[in-house]
Amino acid sequence: MRRVGLVLVGGYLLIAAGNRVAEHFGAMRCGCAEDCWCRRPGLSLFRWVFPWGHRSTYDAQEKARLDRTAH
Ligand SMILES: [Zn+2]
């Protein structure tokens, strides 16, 4: 059954890499705060496949509001 585990881990990393590429090309956008763990280099790969522990909402919304008023 070790092979099943390897396939699962491989698929997980493949999805993570695919989402990271999509994000790079602007297809997806992270709404997290600047100090969220997924903003750190190396951890951003898992941003879209590990939805726990993100620090988001208020800071991001506040920033978006400020961006709107600036334009
Ligand atoms: Zn995050």
Side-chain angles (χ1 to χ4, degrees), residues 29-70:
R29 230 179 126 190
C30 176
C32 288
E34 292 296 323
D35 56 346
C36 182
W37 62 264
C38 72
R39 293 275 183 172
R40 293 182 197 180
L43 291 178
S44 60
L45 176 66
F46 301 101
R47 178 177 291 158
W48 306 104
V49 288
F50 195 83
W52 301 280
H54 287 272
R55 187 191 293 269
S56 59
T57 55
Y58 182 76
D59 285 346
Q61 283 175 1
E62 189 69 11
K63 191 175 176 296
R65 193 182 62 81
L66 289 173
D67 284 346
R68 267 204 303 277
T69 49

Side-chain angles (χ1 to χ4, degrees), residues 6-7 11-12 15 17 19 26 48 55 66:
L6 280 177
V7 168
Y12 187 81
I15 292 167
N19 286 337
W48 306 104
R55 187 191 293 269
L66 289 173

